[in-house]
Amino acid sequence: MRRKLLAAVGVLGLAASIGASAGVASPALAQVPEVVHSSDFEDGTTQGWFRRGTAVLAVSDAQAHTGTHSLLTTGRTDVWHGPAFDGLPFLRPRGVYRFDAHVRILAGDPTVPLQMTMQFVPESTGQRGWTQIASAPAVTDQAWVALSGQWSPPEAGFEMQFYVESSDPTVSYYVDDVVVT
């Protein structure tokens, strides 16, 4: 009996070594994208987000996509006013990045489009430019809407600000669960 068991183990070991030497690959592990930035506002701070223009930023517990807090933007008087974050410390030239955020309009404000935009100043020219990363055509005060898109810095830059804006210059809105991978 012991001899049969040892023989079976030997055959299995031989089969495994033949499979390995024959180039039989083991299943590949799924690659999880590296998170280079995230903001969930659960600590009660703006987590480094700053205002553009007249926007007023405040952490709110009135609405949250997940958890209990989000970032509320009010006081806007122009379309480009809103919350922004400096991507320069973590966005590398020619890297491909995915941007995800969830947005919702303040109760009582009209349904409007919201978009995530990148303001980029390349080192080669010093000329400021803007690229839309993601947009949602009809954001309401009834549900959270995902903004998702990709952007790749074409070269090193002096400035890389991603921000949320609206074509309605006075609408107020929440932003939550921002992740850049």
Side-chain angles (χ1 to χ4, degrees), residues 41-53:
F41 310 105
E42 293 304 309
D43 65 0
T45 72
T46 60
Q47 297 180 348
W49 287 77
F50 56 92
R51 70 183 192 150
R52 290 173 55 90

Side-chain angles (χ1 to χ4, degrees), residues 61-82:
D61 61 3
Q63 289 288 340
H65 177 252
T66 61
T68 58
H69 292 85
S70 63
L71 184 66
L72 175 61
T73 302
T74 60
R76 299 173 61 249
T77 58
D78 206 344
V79 297
W80 59 273
H81 295 181

Side-chain angles (χ1 to χ4, degrees), residues 137-149:
V139 181
T140 72
D141 64 356
Q142 298 299 305
W144 288 90
V145 175
L147 290 176
S148 296

Side-chain angles (χ1 to χ4, degrees), residues 55-170:
V56 176
L57 307 182
V59 175
S60 172
D61 61 3
Q63 289 288 340
H65 177 252
T66 61
T68 58
H69 292 85
S70 63
L71 184 66
L72 175 61
T73 302
T74 60
R76 299 173 61 249
T77 58
D78 206 344
V79 297
W80 59 273
H81 295 181
F85 199 90
D86 181 12
L88 199 57
F90 56 84
L91 299 175
R92 301 291 170 244
R94 292 169 291 290
V96 178
Y97 296 94
R98 179 174 177 83
F99 293 77
D100 294 294
H102 290 83
V103 292
R104 182 177 183 146
I105 300 302
L106 182 67
D109 275 11
T111 298
V112 297
L114 289 179
Q115 70 182 41
M116 187 181 304
T117 302
M118 176 62 69
Q119 179 175 299
F120 178 64
V121 179
E123 288 182 0
S124 64
T125 66
Q127 298 296 309
R128 184 170 287 127
W130 298 267
T131 302
Q132 181 178 302
I133 297 173
S135 67
V139 181
T140 72
D141 64 356
Q142 298 299 305
W144 288 90
V145 175
L147 290 176
S148 296
Q150 286 189 339
W151 183 74
S152 179
E155 63 177 277
F158 293 122
E159 184 177 277
M160 291 185 215
Q161 287 181 12
F162 60 97
Y163 61 99
V164 179
E165 63 181 338
S166 175
S167 57
D168 180 319
T170 62

